[in-house]
Amino acid sequence: MTRRYWNINLEEMIEARVHLGNSKKSWNPRITPYILAKDKHKGKGIHIINLAKTARFLSEACDLLFDAASQGKNILIVGTKKLPERAADSVALAAIKARCHYVNKKWFRGMLTNWVITQTKLRKLRDLKVSEKMGKFNSLRKRDAAILKRKLSTLQTYLGGIKYMEGLPDIVIIIDQQKEYIALQECIILGIPTICLIDTNCDPDLADIPIPANDNDTVSIRWILNKLVSAICEGHSSYIKKHYK
């Protein structure tokens, strides 16, 4: 795996509140090696994440993503959190910038493990989009057109981020291990490497590369995503230089 310098700055992490974990009541004992201390914050005892560990694993994740992107591999970002506000939007924006696939509304059980069914839904989505673009809905009865438009809207909302994904992803980035546990389990079953943002209530042993960080703050999530996206974008640039000289 390529080792590169990713400019992971301690002060920036503190400013982005990456170090603020959950309260002691909701912690997972397996996260102990990643905890620096317990502190009072806003009147509540919370765990403080060891940012030296965060920097180390984030750097490893960036190296892996750079290598994958430089080889033209497919990367999927999963994050369907409604809270904190706009967390799901941050996932979509990051994925679009990095030219990755993404799921940010809802993870359907079997999305990867029942890939044949997912492919059928994706084909339906593409067919409906073509029909709409060609104006075929206009020739239908209003009721029939309305049904197809609703179907298209639903498929676009939930599968629009993976509509160009032709096969299983090579790497999956998961924002909030607890929320996306089903997605993580599917990756484990299929042997797909995972990079997980893990707060102090998560099990770091489940991810191939766990990044200890605050997953309850949009600023923290966005800061981590920006670093990962930068690595992917650099990898894409390397791929283009190698293959399109």
Side-chain angles (χ1 to χ4, degrees):
M1 187 163 63
T2 305
R3 295 291 178 185
R4 297 172 68 87
Y5 175 68
W6 299 108
N7 190 27
I8 298 169
N9 186 281
L10 179 63
E11 290 183 4
E12 285 183 6
M13 284 195 280
I14 292 173
E15 192 174 323
R17 302 185 286 275
V18 173
H19 62 298
L20 301 179
N22 282 299
S23 68
K24 188 176 180 182
K25 293 179 182 178
S26 60
W27 76 302
N28 187 319
R30 292 185 179 180
I31 201 74
T32 300
Y34 303 87
I35 293 174
L36 185 64
K38 180 186 157 187
D39 199 3
K40 295 269 185 186
H41 181 74
K42 296 182 180 179
K44 296 181 180 179
I46 65 167
H47 283 115
I48 302 300
I49 294 168
N50 186 336
L51 293 181
K53 296 287 182 74
T54 304
R56 173 192 158 194
F57 285 103
L58 179 55
S59 181
E60 284 186 16
C62 288
D63 285 338
L64 178 64
L65 291 171
F66 172 84
D67 285 345
S70 66
Q71 295 169 36
K73 292 185 177 181
N74 288 316
I75 298 165
L76 172 65
I77 305 178
V78 181
T80 64
K81 289 171 71 84
K82 293 181 181 177
L83 294 174
E85 188 179 0
R86 304 194 70 80
D89 292 341
S90 296
V91 167
L93 290 171
I96 291 167
K97 182 178 179 181
R99 288 174 290 167
C100 294
H101 310 291
Y102 68 93
V103 175
N104 75 326
K105 295 298 182 183
K106 183 179 180 180
W107 183 270
F108 291 103
R109 188 181 292 272
M111 192 175 285
L112 296 182
T113 50
N114 289 327
W115 180 244
V116 173
I117 294 174
T118 302
Q119 282 181 310
T120 300
K121 292 179 180 178
L122 291 174
R123 279 195 294 270
K124 183 65 174 177
L125 169 58
R126 290 191 289 267
D127 290 345
L128 286 173
K129 284 186 74 69
V130 170
S131 295
E132 182 187 45
K133 192 172 183 179
M134 294 177 66
K136 290 185 178 181
F137 290 173
N138 298 330
S139 62
L140 300 173
R141 291 184 303 173
K142 285 187 177 180
R143 181 175 178 277
D144 293 337
I147 291 172
L148 290 179
K149 285 179 180 179
R150 279 199 302 272
K151 180 71 172 176
L152 173 58
S153 177
T154 300
L155 289 172
Q156 179 62 37
T157 297
Y158 295 113
L159 300 178
I162 62 168
K163 61 187 174 185
Y164 299 119
M165 196 163 80
E166 297 179 351
L168 293 173
D170 297 296
I171 296 175
V172 176
I173 300 169
I174 294 177
I175 306 301
D176 191 340
Q177 185 191 88
Q178 295 278 67
K179 172 72 174 171
E180 315 302 344
Y181 186 73
I182 295 173
L184 175 60
Q185 286 297 107
E186 291 191 31
C187 291
I188 292 171
I189 290 169
L190 295 168
I192 300 171
T194 56
I195 295 168
C196 287
L197 194 67
I198 57 163
D199 210 322
T200 54
N201 61 340
C202 297
D203 182 352
D205 298 336
L206 295 177
D208 291 284
I209 299 183
I211 302 174
N214 178 4
D215 66 11
N216 294 309
D217 191 304
T218 307
V219 178
S220 172
I221 293 170
R222 194 178 294 137
W223 191 88
I224 296 289
L225 280 172
N226 283 342
K227 292 298 178 184
L228 299 178
V229 164
S230 293
I232 296 169
C233 289
E234 283 195 35
H236 282 318
S237 296
S238 176
Y239 179 81
I240 291 169
K241 287 177 184 177
K242 284 189 291 186
H243 293 83
Y244 300 98
K245 288 183 179 179

